[in-house]
Amino acid sequence: MGFPGEVSYGAAKAALENYTMSAASELAEYGVTANIVHPPITDTGWITPAVRRSAKREGLHIALPEEVAEVIYFLVSDSARLVTANVLALH
């Protein structure tokens, strides 16, 4: 969807995705997995009342850092050894 007004940010995200998919393919034979986690709006102290109102209006969940960490914890566990080359968009 792009990032209007944030071209460099969007370009960096696109490069990260391409790099991760290549790494997943190249490292699979060694048992190394590579995935991307795109967290939702996460309450790390930067959220303003206006952001909260906008998220609520759009029906978006504002995640806690612990919620995002749980997904990452799973991905680095042995339970996720078959999960690779994915973009996980959290909502």
Side-chain angles (χ1 to χ4, degrees):
M1 293 181 356
F3 295 90
E6 298 287 339
V7 174
S8 296
Y9 180 79
K13 290 285 189 178
L16 177 64
E17 187 171 328
N18 188 285
Y19 182 89
T20 302
M21 295 307 124
S22 295
S25 178
E26 290 180 25
L27 300 173
E29 69 180 284
Y30 304 107
V32 176
T33 61
N35 297 284
I36 296 174
V37 175
H38 285 305
I41 299 168
T42 306
D43 192 355
T44 58
W46 67 271
I47 296 176
T48 65
V51 170
R52 278 192 199 285
R53 285 190 301 275
S54 178
K56 185 175 183 178
R57 198 171 38 252
E58 295 179 37
L60 300 174
H61 174 71
I62 296 177
L64 297 173
E66 299 83 28
E67 293 176 299
V68 177
E70 287 174 3
V71 174
I72 295 167
Y73 182 79
F74 167 73
L75 288 172
V76 300
S77 74
D78 287 339
S79 296
R81 65 186 162 276
L82 298 179
V83 180
T84 194
N86 291 280
V87 176
L88 297 135
L90 309 182
H91 296 280

